[in-house]
Amino acid sequence: MILRKQHSVLIQGITGRQGRFWSAKMQEYGTRIVGGVNPKQAGETCCDVPVFASAREAADELGGIDLSVMFIPPVSARDAAIDAIEAGVRQLVVLTEHIPAQDVMRIHAAARHHGTRIVGPNTAGIVTPGEAFAGIMPAFNRRVFMPGDIGVISRSGSLGTLICLNLVNAGFGQSAFLGIGGDPMLGTTTVEALRALQADERTRAIVIVGEIGGAMEEEAADALREVGKPVVSFIAGRASPPGKKMGHAGAIVMGDQGSYRSKRERLETGGAQVVDTPGQIADALRQALARA
């Protein structure tokens, strides 16, 4: 799940305004982009890489793809995702928001069948500071991302950026940033991201940036005992009223399930230190690392 500089990356929608802009940023940072997809411009080049009619054609020509990033509108997202999955892409970063629910279910079913890791939908992407990034996170901003040993998991790209900024200001760098996305049906859960960082030798401690809605933070709390690394968490939405959606489509609370109180209590019971504000994360990390 953690992106490395040697991984081959395909950009679906590379010739669009956003696809072209972010592809150039990824390349400048060190991401190994090997090709792009746009059926209408197949046979051309964009960002100095070949453009193919499909992900399947790209994989056949290039000999396999480690990761694909989707700059694809919601109406076309299902077909683009299944194209990449059936082409054997190992990991798919789905940036697209507002994909119809039935299409998301089709994507996840195809991914399970073919063994593809989905990150998203509605993710800002993943970053390995000093190596590579895939998506729309400002990895190139040294005030936000710096190589280090703190792994960060976030459902929110903007909130994750703030947390990473605070970490760098406090002298901490990141081993990896895993933006799992804000959709109600995510391909990668908090606990799966937690286990990826648990297995990562470069990660010394982990920050979980959660929010109200769903049960992913509670499920991750149950896995904390086996992690063996300090975990600090911030949960957004403490003051939100029950039953009201706040921001992400997945951030809706019904009764106590998915509530701030439930998430905080479960994480603390599991051994994580939960802070009240993002600005407290760095101090909490220092304390947790001192105890480790």
Side-chain angles (χ1 to χ4, degrees):
M1 183 178 178
I2 298 174
L3 180 63
R4 300 298 183 196
K5 61 183 177 182
Q6 68 269 21
H7 289 157
S8 57
V9 175
L10 182 72
I11 307 296
Q12 294 175 268
I14 192 171
T15 60
R17 184 166 60 91
Q18 292 295 322
R20 188 186 298 264
F21 174 84
W22 285 103
S23 293
K25 290 293 186 182
M26 286 184 250
Q27 287 174 318
E28 290 170 9
Y29 196 72
T31 305
R32 183 174 166 248
I33 296 177
V34 295
V37 175
N38 183 335
K40 295 181 180 179
Q41 294 181 245
E44 301 179 12
T45 61
C46 182
C47 297
D48 298 322
V49 296
V51 179
F52 298 92
S54 66
R56 183 185 294 272
E57 181 182 299
D60 289 343
E61 182 71 21
L62 300 171
I65 305 294
D66 292 313
L67 182 146
S68 183
V69 186
M70 284 178 44
F71 289 90
I72 302 293
V75 68
S76 306
R78 182 195 65 188
D79 291 343
I82 291 176
D83 174 33
I85 291 165
E86 292 182 346
V89 171
R90 297 174 181 85
Q91 183 161 302
L92 182 60
V93 176
V94 184
L95 305 174
T96 314
E97 187 177 8
H98 303 307
I99 302 174
Q102 63 270 25
D103 289 353
V104 176
M105 289 188 284
R106 287 281 303 277
I107 292 169
H108 289 330
R112 285 192 297 270
H113 180 73
H114 291 274
T116 299
R117 161 76 63 187
I118 301 291
V119 180
N122 188 17
T123 175
I126 57 178
V127 181
T128 305
E131 283 196 57
F133 81 99
I136 56 173
M137 289 295 289
F140 43 83
N141 189 327
R142 296 182 181 180
R143 294 180 56 200
V144 180
F145 286 101
M146 180 175 71
D149 56 10
I150 308 299
V152 180
I153 303 165
S154 181
R155 287 168 65 179
S156 166
S158 56
L159 187 54
T161 299
L162 173 63
I163 299 298
C164 289
L165 173 66
N166 289 346
L167 288 174
V168 171
N169 284 342
F172 289 105
Q174 306 92 5
S175 55
F177 172 86
L178 305 177
I180 60 174
D183 201 80
M185 295 179 286
L186 294 176
T188 297
T189 64
T190 302
V191 70
E192 289 170 329
L194 182 66
R195 287 175 175 150
L197 293 173
Q198 172 193 2
D200 179 42
E201 294 181 354
R202 305 183 191 183
T203 300
R204 186 181 173 203
I206 300 168
V207 174
I208 297 175
V209 185
E211 60 186 37
I212 59 168
M216 287 194 300
E217 291 83 0
E218 288 96 330
E219 292 166 0
D222 294 337
L224 286 180
R225 298 296 184 189
E226 64 191 59
V227 171
K229 297 178 180 181
V231 176
V232 174
S233 180
F234 168 74
I235 306 297
R238 178 171 56 171
S240 61
K244 183 175 178 59
K245 186 176 76 175
M246 304 292 288
H248 288 149
I252 184 168
V253 179
M254 300 304 296
D256 191 55
Q257 183 178 3
S259 69
Y260 176 86
R261 183 182 66 180
S262 172
K263 291 175 185 293
R264 178 162 191 156
E265 288 178 354
R266 290 279 291 277
L267 285 166
E268 290 179 334
T269 299
Q273 183 171 346
V274 182
V275 298
D276 295 326
T277 67
Q280 296 172 332
I281 286 180
D283 286 341
L285 273 175
R286 290 191 185 95
Q287 295 168 14
L289 288 167
R291 293 192 299 265

